[in-house]
Amino acid sequence: MPELTYLQAISDALREEMRADERVFCLGEDIGRFGGAFKVTDGFIEEFGPDRVWDTPLAESAIVGTAVGAAVEGLRPVCEMQFADFISCGFDQLVNVAAKMHYRQGLAVPITVRLPSGGGFSGGPFHSQNPEAWMLQAPGLKVVAPSTPRDAKGLLAAAIQDPNPVVYLEHKHLYRRTKGEVPEGRYELPLGEARIAREGTDLSVIAYGAMVGVALEATEDLDGASVEVLDLRSLVPLDTDAILGSVRKTSKVVILHEATRSCGVGAEVAALIAENAFEDLDGPIVRVTAPDVPIPFSPPLERAVLPQVDNVKEACRELLAY
Amino acid sequence: MPELTYLQAISDALREEMRADERVFCLGEDIGRFGGAFKVTDGFIEEFGPDRVWDTPLAESAIVGTAVGAAVEGLRPVCEMQFADFISCGFDQLVNVAAKMHYRQGLAVPITVRLPSGGGFSGGPFHSQNPEAWMLQAPGLKVVAPSTPRDAKGLLAAAIQDPNPVVYLEHKHLYRRTKGEVPEGRYELPLGEARIAREGTDLSVIAYGAMVGVALEATEDLDGASVEVLDLRSLVPLDTDAILGSVRKTSKVVILHEATRSCGVGAEVAALIAENAFEDLDGPIVRVTAPDVPIPFSPPLERAVLPQVDNVKEACRELLAY
Amino acid sequence: MATTTARPAALDGSEDGRGLLTRDDRARLYRYMLLMRATEERALTLYRQGKVPGSYYDGHGQEAVSVGSAYALGPRDRACVLHRDLGAHLIRGVRPGRVLAQMMGRATGITGGRDGNMHFGDRHLGCVGMVSMLPDMALVACGLGLAFQIRREPRVAMTWFGEGSTANGVWHEAMNVAGIRRLPVVFVLENNQFAYSTPNDHEFAVDPVERAAGYGFPGIKVDGNDVEAVFSAAAAACERARTGGGPTLIECDTMRMHGHGAHDDMRYVPPELLEHWAARDPVEAYEARLAAAGIDTAAIQADVRAELERDTEWALQQPMPDPPTATDGVFAEVAEPLGDGEAPWSRWSPDREATHA
Amino acid sequence: MATTTARPAALDGSEDGRGLLTRDDRARLYRYMLLMRATEERALTLYRQGKVPGSYYDGHGQEAVSVGSAYALGPRDRACVLHRDLGAHLIRGVRPGRVLAQMMGRATGITGGRDGNMHFGDRHLGCVGMVSMLPDMALVACGLGLAFQIRREPRVAMTWFGEGSTANGVWHEAMNVAGIRRLPVVFVLENNQFAYSTPNDHEFAVDPVERAAGYGFPGIKVDGNDVEAVFSAAAAACERARTGGGPTLIECDTMRMHGHGAHDDMRYVPPELLEHWAARDPVEAYEARLAAAGIDTAAIQADVRAELERDTEWALQQPMPDPPTATDGVFAEVAEPLGDGEAPWSRWSPDREATHA
Ligand SMILES: Cc1ncc(C[n+]2csc(CCOP(=O)(O)OP(=O)(O)O)c2C)c(N)n1
Ligand SMILES: Cc1ncc(C[n+]2csc(CCOP(=O)(O)OP(=O)(O)O)c2C)c(N)n1
Ligand SMILES: [Mg+2]
Ligand SMILES: [Mg+2]
């Protein structure tokens, strides 16, 4: 199997879906001749032409809204937000038009919205956000957040083929830093299945996206403890069986995400466990997240805000000792 | 003390702040000659003139964005969204411009954004939402949700005087249905203090907004159990001391809100308790919320989705028996 | 013969697009306006009887706009219909009974009780139901047009919005995108003088039809109470769109003769203004015209009345939705695209040669 | 005498607004353009040395736009400055050293390391720092103008945006609101031919300056590489705004001579286009003109160089912010409104009669 970066895996998935299914097309800012701010669609306009690779004007509502229209007419649009943060500018079309359409009228909206998200490279308050929790509070959207190249490819293919609006969080920090084996050719991973990134028996760390790597690194050698790392992969649907299963096994859980704390995905996972696995718990449910602040630009500040390997280690040690 | 409806209390607070402080002005759709979709600003344009009561065009970004500009120039704008649901159309200005301004530049943005929210009257998927959790995932916004006329008045005055952007959730279902004694003249209630709506020792129900009344009704006579009802009042800042204090006393907790479940305020409160009061818990943390669906229009469907007195009773009974 | 289909002899001898209409078309235009009005009047009665939950909105006085414009659509065209435009739904083939069931939140209403009021679209008839946030559907219509353009299909997307809605940013994004890509979209702007209580001078400094030029396509203003004037502009715009000429913005000057919703007493509307427009009622004016041309309008009226009685009875017998289904269908299992609509304009008739012989 | 202050003898005898400039004003215009360019060049060097975290954006080639326009502002006017407009910050009184500290994420940069790049505004100098989402600040500028209007103050809010940003819905809402309320706002549209990699024909079908008429106010197009032409249009627009005449949209035709950011190699820009504009460099052209008029441009250059050396040294010595402070200041304890900015135009000089004697 070839080794690809996370970015290449995303690009490959998109290219293969476009080759296989002429209904699939891309739209977004600078995705054509420039190949996208992060080069995910590099070479696409040359291969697929301007009709299937639309360099849109700077208008996020238009990107999401026209995608909805094209989708209900039978196409499979894949929208790119230049940065995940800009989803706030197309928010209404996403949460009110796309998300509610099927429930209200039985009309499926098969769009994918790609969100290059996350911080760690001095992007500052407007280029570092992890907006997934907003989507969880907007019923009708599926949400995925892969952490490995293999998952990135399989989940993007599945997102594109899914008959629902799927928000696809691709963490910018993984783009070129993360490499891994990726099967050749088309394949899909089911939306809604978590993955045990490492088996363990003493403690579960539940994470997704870029934080899976942090979790693995932090717990690799933690005074000999056997730490399970659960990679959620999909946030909607959430794999509650996998979450509860892991907690039942280990009885102790740390939930880790890069997004800010209040009403984040960690809150949801904690609440789920506190309601459904209460008897299995052998200690408090601990969250390691960014605090409730905008993500600052300057490296020492940003490091202070984003969860670091050491923060996870400390949280795990404390909980193990509980 | 006079008895006022929740709506009158809101209206009074706004009127009194405008009388006392000429920097305060209102803007929103149909708030002038029409007096607002719910008549909160009835008579205002006659008293304060069109400069301080601006009938804006149908443009929510403009409402929030111009309010920010006026605020940093020293005014105290109070924005009305015609329905809370429309905040999605001004979302970016709220979460990116208003919320982050002080953190980034030390520039305070004293705006208040009034959100007539909630369901229960066949408003359907676009006139029934409770969008508070979005705001909790947007650091820099304060969020309040009064449940009584007295609180509605005191919290609105405090919101207007606060140097920060404050999102003020006024539940439409309470507008004319809820009456209560309201002190005359100006007063403020501190933002960030919960209120014990009823003391109890066997179980805590934590709620806010319209659900406080549901909680009280549901637990009034619950097979003789002594149920505490905690009215959060403020969601940011969240009164963690009051929450943990109540749980420490009762050891059992039901969290109740009308908003949808995933990543809702209930998730945050549950996570908070599961992390900080684990040892005090004597049973799972139970959430009673709307499921993750758009709020349907037709009465039997809407009733099936929104938390009802009976749902709360059942949840409490089960937990009491645990 | 075939050519008369495209340009049948005009009823009134006019040379413009009205010449596209046969005598039967005219009778149908009248019929749909009447059906819209009658259905809305019935719905309002049901609302007053407490049978319609929530609020109630209608398009009384604006019948010529939605009927005249939607009548130009072909079966494979698509429509995002707005809250004053029941006529467009009827033309696409929605039965009045289903509209009433929809308003009453019944299981067999178009949205099965999930949504209310005019927030519906029959997807089997090529309609996408509106969302409340105005004018979001303008962008969806652009997306429909985009699909036609990408697939090189000679099809049109039509959508409607009030003049107040043009103040919103999504309107601009839709106009701009339609202009850049020359999308086959027809935008029908209904200037009914108010957005809720807000009059034109608080909504814009310059009539929004003037803005079309700034987006690179024509803006046309017509008498919104003259169904044939609206039709004529819409037919020309559809033809333009269908043949690669890009979008058109058609402003229809009209008046909202009822309150914004049934709760609204319209205190803010000067009585003279209402009187002025009452004298120009689109349904009555057209009836007089057709009657003068010898069309049996009384028969049409009787027919509409009978249809509505039947449909109301049907609607009242429909069940409310089953509570346990409330959480079904948040997600789709399969993606089935929009179906085709009905298209009563004689031009679209499969046997049009016969019809116009 | 006093009248010469308003209309001092023109350096080149022109009759238009350029006549508002004294010889000293001209020297200052040149100085600020030079200072902007020199500061950005230094920042780019620091970026290449790895001292500027994140990305790096500049306004190389567009100096005449921000300098010419911001120069028209009075001290109590306000500005929402965008990412190509460092000149405006400098004119309001921001020291180059603080800009460099800002770019490097230092504790004494304008945002103290909370935000980076051009995402800043010195609130003590009447500036509101931009957010990334474009062109959100256009609405904030409307709000500033609204405050002036409500308080009946003869003050102006100025803001800038690229031509690409005009496609976004918030732009429309800002234009519409400004037009309806005749807000005292000056909108400076910088058409630098590209939005990132996207050329004009993908951004709009019609030059957005044409759209101003549709909002009820003037749209003026000027040579964005001629600092005096920009100034002249801005001064007239400010005067109009200040005296109740409402907003103006000024389009400045110019070219982004660097990549969108330092990472961008501009493959997508035809080399001839760059050559064409390189020959029209705004700083060089103005230098030649002033030198021909006998102004000692070499002295100004030396002065700017010296200032920048001092400031760079200062900036490099500034500490990074303290990690534990990262969570401070999410909420304000008090609301202190914006302070006044510097306003170097001789018109605003407290002793202007002396200056222009
Ligand atoms: C984005 C948005 N904001 C507010 C509303 C609330 N609202 C419903 S209808 C209406 C007035 C619409 O006026 P106009 O566009 O002229 O259409 P009309 O109702 O007059 O046909 C308003 C403000 C809305 N539907 N959408
Ligand atoms: C709402 C929004 N979407 C996307 C971006 C990403 N982005 C940053 S600058 C830029 C191009 C801006 O072009 P233009 O307005 O012409 O300004 P210029 O950079 O050319 O001065 C884009 C797309 C953004 N900043 N804001
Ligand atoms: Mg209207
Ligand atoms: Mg540009």
Side-chain angles (χ1 to χ4, degrees), chain C residues 73 92 116 169 239 260 299 303 320 334 337 347-348:
Chain C
L73 294 175
R92 296 308 284 169
E239 190 60 21
H260 169 69
D303 197 53
M320 291 304 265
V334 290
R347 172 179 172 175
W348 302 113

Side-chain angles (χ1 to χ4, degrees), chain D residues 162-164 190 192-195 203:
Chain D
E163 83 298 339
E190 306 188 67
N192 62 3
Q193 314 307 322
F194 290 90
E203 302 173 324

Side-chain angles (χ1 to χ4, degrees), chain C residues 6-340:
Chain C
R7 291 209 161 269
L11 189 70
D12 55 3
S14 78
E15 293 279 273
D16 63 11
R18 296 173 199 230
L20 298 167
L21 294 169
T22 64
R23 215 177 148 83
D24 284 354
D25 287 328
R26 294 191 150 93
R28 274 185 219 118
L29 284 174
Y30 175 62
R31 190 179 187 288
Y32 283 111
M33 284 205 287
L34 211 57
L35 192 59
M36 170 172 168
R37 178 160 297 181
T39 306
E40 291 193 335
E41 273 167 2
R42 183 58 54 99
L44 185 56
T45 305
L46 293 170
Y47 174 78
R48 295 207 169 113
Q49 292 170 348
K51 296 200 175 90
V52 170
S55 336
Y56 178 74
Y57 308 88
D58 69 32
H60 193 99
Q62 301 179 222
E63 293 85 353
V65 179
S66 51
V67 169
S69 50
Y71 199 76
L73 294 175
R76 305 212 60 228
D77 295 335
R78 299 290 180 253
C80 301
V81 184
L82 267 281
H83 58 297
R84 308 289 178 203
D85 302 302
L86 180 60
H89 287 296
L90 300 173
I91 287 173
R92 296 308 284 169
V94 178
R95 309 306 322 144
R98 292 200 75 208
V99 175
L100 298 177
Q102 158 78 11
M103 302 269 180
M104 294 191 287
R106 304 299 171 100
T108 51
I110 298 111
T111 65
R114 265 73 187 306
D115 211 333
N117 305 305
M118 292 291 294
H119 294 105
F120 68 86
D122 189 331
R123 66 188 174 88
H124 303 291
L125 298 172
C127 296
V128 188
M130 64 175 284
V131 304
S132 259
M133 288 68 195
L134 298 171
D136 278 7
M137 301 314 289
L139 281 168
V140 176
C142 287
L144 294 166
L146 183 67
F148 306 151
Q149 188 181 65
I150 289 177
R151 295 189 301 223
R152 312 258 181 280
E153 297 168 341
R155 297 166 63 191
V156 176
M158 186 177 283
T159 190
W160 292 257
F161 37 74
E163 83 298 337
S165 303
T166 66
N168 197 285
V170 295
W171 183 78
H172 169 70
E173 296 194 11
M175 295 300 117
N176 192 44
V177 161
I180 294 169
R181 295 216 36 153
R182 298 175 72 79
L183 297 175
V185 183
V186 177
F187 299 107
V188 183
L189 192 177
E190 306 187 67
N191 189 345
N192 62 2
Q193 314 307 321
F194 291 89
Y196 208 148
S197 72
T198 309
N200 278 198
D201 66 352
H202 277 59
E203 302 172 326
F204 39 73
V206 174
D207 188 336
V209 75
E210 305 277 338
R211 296 180 182 160
Y215 297 110
F217 55 86
I220 288 156
K221 188 158 182 165
V222 299
D223 177 354
N225 280 20
D226 177 346
V227 67
E228 292 195 15
V230 175
F231 166 78
S232 165
C238 286
E239 190 60 21
R240 220 176 91 78
R242 217 181 292 288
T243 55
T248 305
L249 175 65
I250 302 172
E251 179 175 8
C252 302
D253 203 31
T254 184
M255 176 70 189
R256 197 192 70 209
M257 297 300 290
H258 280 174
H260 169 69
H263 62 280
D264 171 12
D265 63 10
M266 289 206 289
R267 280 185 289 165
Y268 50 84
V269 178
E272 317 81 68
L273 191 66
L274 277 177
E275 279 161 34
H276 167 81
W277 286 95
R280 307 186 55 238
D281 182 84
V283 183
E284 287 169 17
Y286 202 52
E287 190 208 336
R289 212 162 130 207
L290 295 201
I295 291 179
D296 186 352
T297 54
I300 298 174
Q301 287 162 18
D303 197 53
V304 164
R305 262 198 306 274
E307 176 171 355
L308 208 64
E309 285 318 317
R310 275 197 311 275
D311 275 46
T312 306
E313 216 161 294
W314 176 85
L316 284 167
Q317 285 160 12
Q318 298 308 299
M320 291 304 265
D322 200 20
T325 64
T327 51
D328 297 348
V330 175
F331 293 107
E333 299 296 327
V334 290
E336 198 191 309
L338 296 166
D340 292 343

Side-chain angles (χ1 to χ4, degrees), chain D residues 7-357:
Chain D
R7 290 211 161 267
L11 190 69
D12 55 3
S14 78
E15 293 278 275
D16 63 11
R18 297 173 198 230
L20 298 167
L21 294 168
T22 63
R23 213 178 149 84
D24 283 355
D25 286 328
R26 294 190 150 94
R28 275 185 219 117
L29 284 175
Y30 176 62
R31 190 177 188 290
Y32 282 113
M33 286 206 286
L34 212 57
L35 192 59
M36 171 172 168
R37 178 160 299 181
T39 305
E40 291 192 337
E41 273 167 1
R42 184 56 55 96
L44 185 55
T45 304
L46 293 170
Y47 173 79
R48 296 208 168 112
Q49 292 170 347
K51 296 200 174 87
V52 171
S55 336
Y56 177 73
Y57 309 89
D58 68 32
H60 194 99
Q62 300 178 225
E63 293 84 352
V65 178
S66 51
V67 168
S69 51
Y71 201 76
L73 294 176
R76 305 210 61 226
D77 295 336
R78 299 290 181 251
C80 302
V81 184
L82 266 281
H83 58 298
R84 308 289 179 202
D85 302 302
L86 180 61
H89 287 296
L90 300 173
I91 286 173
R92 296 309 284 170
V94 178
R95 309 308 321 144
R98 291 199 76 208
V99 176
L100 298 177
Q102 158 78 12
M103 303 268 177
M104 294 190 288
R106 305 298 169 98
T108 50
I110 297 111
T111 64
R114 263 75 188 302
D115 210 335
N117 306 306
M118 290 294 294
H119 295 106
F120 68 86
D122 189 333
R123 68 188 172 89
H124 303 292
L125 298 172
C127 296
V128 188
M130 65 177 282
V131 304
S132 258
M133 289 68 195
L134 296 171
D136 278 6
M137 302 312 292
L139 281 168
V140 176
C142 288
L144 294 167
L146 182 68
F148 305 151
Q149 188 181 65
I150 289 177
R151 294 188 303 223
R152 312 258 184 280
E153 297 167 341
R155 296 164 64 189
V156 176
M158 185 177 281
T159 191
W160 292 259
F161 36 74
E163 83 298 339
S165 304
T166 66
N168 196 285
V170 294
W171 183 78
H172 169 70
E173 296 195 10
M175 296 299 116
N176 191 44
V177 161
I180 293 169
R181 294 211 43 145
R182 297 174 72 79
L183 296 176
V185 183
V186 177
F187 299 107
V188 183
L189 192 177
E190 306 188 67
N191 188 344
N192 62 3
Q193 314 307 322
F194 290 90
Y196 207 147
S197 73
T198 310
N200 278 197
D201 66 353
H202 277 57
E203 302 173 324
F204 40 73
V206 174
D207 188 335
V209 74
E210 306 276 338
R211 296 178 183 162
Y215 297 111
F217 53 88
I220 288 157
K221 188 158 181 165
V222 299
D223 177 353
N225 281 20
D226 176 347
V227 68
E228 292 195 14
V230 175
F231 166 78
S232 166
C238 285
E239 191 59 21
R240 221 176 91 80
R242 216 181 292 288
T243 55
T248 305
L249 175 65
I250 302 172
E251 178 175 9
C252 302
D253 203 33
T254 183
M255 177 69 190
R256 196 193 70 210
M257 297 301 289
H258 280 173
H260 169 69
H263 62 280
D264 169 13
D265 63 11
M266 291 206 285
R267 279 185 290 165
Y268 51 84
V269 178
E272 318 80 68
L273 191 65
L274 277 176
E275 277 161 36
H276 167 78
W277 286 93
R280 308 186 53 238
D281 183 81
V283 184
E284 286 171 19
Y286 201 53
E287 190 207 336
R289 214 164 127 205
L290 294 200
I295 289 179
D296 187 353
T297 54
I300 298 174
Q301 287 163 18
D303 196 51
V304 164
R305 263 198 305 275
E307 177 172 352
L308 207 66
E309 285 317 316
R310 273 195 314 274
D311 274 45
T312 306
E313 216 162 292
W314 176 85
L316 285 167
Q317 285 160 10
Q318 298 308 300
M320 291 304 264
D322 201 21
T325 64
T327 51
D328 297 348
V330 175
F331 293 108
E333 299 296 327
V334 291
E336 198 191 308
L338 296 165
D340 293 342
E342 291 180 18
W345 181 15
S346 55
R347 171 176 173 178
W348 302 113
S349 162
D351 53 319
R352 57 185 174 176
E353 311 220 351
T355 312
H356 299 113

